Every structure is written in C-alpha cells, then in structure tokens.
C-alpha cells in the first residue's frame, strides 16, 4: 500500500477521525495534530505492512498520539483517563455512516471568528483532508502561508473557546450561509482559477462537490444546501469540454456538448428539484441558470429570456455587480448587444467592479458585436492586462488581435 493509497483513505476518513478525536479530547487543535501524525506514520509503515482495516488503524494511531500529547499536559490527566479507556472509539469509524461529528467539524472550520482565508484553508485541511502542500497548490500561495493560516485558525478557535458541538437549530441556520460560502469559494477557484497557468483546477472543484454532497446528506431539509450542490454538479458537468488537449480554454459556443458529464447533469437536476421545495435562494437560482445551459443543445437554442429573468430574480435577493454583469451577457443574447452595453456602462459609471478584468472583457465582446472594432480591441487588451490567469489572458489577446485591421 503506497502513498496514493494512504492519501485516498485519508481523504475519505479524515473528517470522521478528527471529529471523533475532538469529541473525546475536547481539543480541536490537538485532534487535528494527532490525526496528521497518524497519516505521517501510515506513510512509513503501510508500504511494508498494510492494515486490514486502514480507517481503524488511523483512528487507533491518532488516538495513541493524542494520549501521548495529553500525558504531557498534566492539567488534562482526567481527559487522558477518559480517552485511554476502551470506550469504543473505534465505533466512530463506520464506513457507511456520516454523523453529526462531521457536520460539527464543518461548522467549527467555518466559524465566524476566523477570516475567510482561514476558513477555506481549515475546511480543506480537516474536512476535505488536503495537505498544506495541496492547498497551497490549489490557491497558488506559499506552503508556509497555508501552514500559518491553519495554525492561527486553530489558536483562534481555542482562544475563543469555540465548542465542538453543533450550534442550536436557530443559530445553525444562521451560520449555514457561512459554511455554504466557504464551499462556494473553493468550488469557484477550482472551476475558474483566479491566477496561474491553468483554467481549471478540477481536483479543487471536485473536493468542493464532495463537501457539498456531504453537507446535503447531513442537512437534507435545507433547500439552499441542495441548491449549492446542484450548482456545483451542473457546472462541473461541463468541465470535460471546457479545455482543449493542451489546456487552452474552449468557449461555450465552441464546446462539444457530447463531452459533458450527463450523469453529473442528472445529479444536478435532481438536487435542483430538492432545492425548489420552498422557493429558490441565491445558490438555487444560480443552479437554475446552470440548468438552462446544461439542458440546451446549442448556445442559440438556449432559453436566454429565462436566464435573464433568473438573473433579475437573483439580483433582487442577492444583488452584486457580478450578477449585474452576468445579466448583461444574458440580455445581449436575448435582446442584442446595445441594451446590454447600457447595463455595463452603468456598472462602470458606478465603479462597482474596479480593477476586474471581467468588465472590459464583456464590454469588448459587446462592442465587437456592434462593429466598434477599435474600441473593442482596446477593451480586450485592457482586460488581458488585468487578468491574472494566463489561459484566460491568452484568449483575450487572441480576440483582440483578431480585431486588428481597418478601424470602425
């Protein structure tokens, strides 16, 4: 059993192991450290002697590490007595069970006392089971930065006395939005990387899908959880067609829709149906927009009028300049570029997306459709200068170059 096997088991079992240890030690930081030490030991010992029950081995080893740490803390000897007792901790490693401990772990990792960056790093570490190196690669930051965020997060949780327990029902619903936003940020970075030389970071995106599925299993009566899951599934369904063999972006109009993942589309539509039980929230509305794209045989056959209406509804309940910009794109497809250009120019006048490459990207596309080639080229060149993702930048520069020639 090699490193890849250890990593696979850890990805599946890490959340339950950390949750079980935290429940028994009462110390979230200690539990996470002990679990990481167990993984390190597995990397050394499993290649020569693979355990019959890998999850149980990790739990037992992590428990021993926790006991060793507690022994070194004289003030916690009473906890050592509790933990050292053969109190059926191994019962927590049931491969077919997802219990409230994992849900509590999500709420702790996404606690409001933490910064957004710390929430993302801690969730990927303790719930998704990613290493500091993997998180650093995903978000293109140095490994020490990720390690510092995780260390500070654990210290902040300890200093704030955050209990390892599910929040009361009312508070849980209030804080659920924070958990959803962390998963959404992780998925968004995976589906269109903000910087670097890859358009997609599918490993990151699929971790977010896994987190969304776990949360939906734990909170089956929360429509917005299913809305986020639907959005992730429907968006990820297009991944196979979004890049060419060399990793270059393939625009929606040029994608081979036969390459879309139709199983993911079915899962997404099922989740969207569950999200619709009490009316769609922000994630559900975004999922409905993704469903309109996923259900259309071509760009031209897409129900753009419906997408415009959905963006208008989204803008009413969760207004943002990005929503308005996306509405402009849909309006351009439904009613023509002139009407959409007025929306984009109003966004620019209000300075609601300063420094974003998205605004000049959309404005350049609209100007090109209106035949204003030199203005369009200038906008696309500006967008390329502002864009940090090398793959997106190359597309923008290619489009700008195609507009060179006689001025309008």
């Amino acid at each position: 059993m090699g490193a890849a096997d250890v990593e696979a088991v850890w990805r599946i079992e890490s959340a339950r192991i950390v949750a079980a240890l935290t429940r028994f030690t009462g110390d979230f930081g200690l539990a996470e450290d002990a679990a990481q030490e167990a993984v390190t030991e597995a990397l050394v010992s499993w290649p020569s002697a693979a355990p019959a029950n890998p999850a149980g081995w990790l739990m037992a080893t992590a428990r021993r590490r926790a006991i060793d740490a507690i022994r070194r803390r004289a003030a916690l000897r009473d906890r050592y007595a509790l933990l050292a007792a053969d109190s059926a901790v191994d019962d927590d490693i049931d491969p077919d069970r997802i219990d409230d401990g994992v849900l509590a772990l999500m709420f702790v990792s996404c606690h409001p006392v933490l910064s957004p960056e710390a929430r993302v790093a801690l969730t990927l570490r303790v719930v998704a089971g990613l290493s500091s190196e993997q998180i650093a690669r995903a978000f293109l930051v140095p490994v020490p930065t990720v390690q510092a965020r995780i260390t500070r997060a654990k210290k902040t949780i300890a200093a704030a006395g955050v209990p390892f327990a599910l929040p009361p029902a009312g508070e849980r619903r209030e804080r659920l939005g924070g958990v959803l936003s962390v998963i959404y940020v992780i998925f968004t970075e995976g589906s269109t990387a903000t910087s670097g030389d890859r358009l997609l970071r599918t490993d990151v995106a699929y971790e977010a899908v896994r987190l969304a599925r776990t949360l939906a299993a734990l909170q089956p009566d929360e429509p917005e959880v299913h809305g986020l899951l639907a959005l992730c599934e429907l968006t990820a369904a297009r991944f196979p067609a979004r890049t060419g063999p060399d990793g270059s972006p393939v625009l929606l109009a040029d994608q081979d829709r036969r390459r879309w993942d139709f199983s993911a589309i079915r899962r997404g539509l099922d989740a969207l149906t569950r999200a619709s039980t009490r009316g769609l929230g922000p994630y559900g509305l975004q999922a409905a927009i993704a469903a309109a794209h996923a259900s259309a045989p071509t760009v031209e056959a897409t129900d753009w009028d419906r997408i415009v209406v959905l963006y208008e509804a989204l803008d009413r309940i969760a207004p943002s300049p990005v929503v308005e910009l996306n509405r402009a794109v849909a309006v351009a497809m439904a009613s023509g570029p002139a009407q959409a250009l007025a929306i984009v120019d109003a966004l620019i006048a209000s300075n609601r997306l300063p420094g974003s490459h998205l605004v000049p990207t959309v404005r350049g596309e609209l100007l090109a459709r209106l035949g204003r080639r030199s203005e369009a080229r200038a906008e696309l060149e500006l967008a390329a200068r502002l864009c940090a993702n090398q793959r997106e930048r190359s597309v923008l520069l290619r489009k700008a170059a195609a507009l060179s020639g006689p001025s309008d």
Side-chain angles (χ1 to χ4, degrees), residues 106-230:
M106 283 188 169
F107 276 93
V108 170
S109 300
C110 301
H111 198 279
V113 298
L114 303 176
S115 69
E117 296 81 6
R119 294 180 207 174
V120 168
L122 197 61
T123 300
L124 286 173
R125 174 66 168 265
V126 302
V127 184
L130 271 62
S131 66
S132 297
E133 291 76 12
Q134 290 169 321
I135 299 168
R137 283 199 303 271
F139 286 87
L140 301 179
V141 296
V143 172
T145 299
V146 171
Q147 292 171 332
R149 286 176 184 172
I150 292 171
T151 298
R152 281 198 301 269
K154 291 192 287 188
K155 289 180 178 178
T156 300
I157 286 171
V162 175
F164 183 76
L166 282 176
E171 185 183 340
R172 189 187 315 172
R173 178 162 291 179
E174 185 178 296
R175 283 175 48 192
L176 182 62
V179 177
L180 292 173
S181 68
V182 167
I183 298 174
Y184 181 72
V185 166
I186 295 169
F187 182 79
T188 301
E189 179 62 28
S191 62
T192 304
T194 52
S195 58
D197 60 358
R198 286 193 293 162
L199 179 70
L200 301 176
R201 298 184 180 279
T202 53
D203 53 341
V204 179
Y206 289 136
E207 283 300 334
V209 174
R210 189 167 75 90
L211 288 170
R213 288 174 184 164
T214 300
L215 189 58
L218 294 167
Q219 296 276 260
D221 298 324
E222 291 290 346
E224 269 293 78
V225 174
H226 296 288
L228 178 60
L229 177 58

Side-chain angles (χ1 to χ4, degrees), residues 276-290:
S276 305
T277 54
R278 297 200 297 270
L280 294 175
Y283 295 115
L285 286 168
Q286 291 179 72
I289 293 166

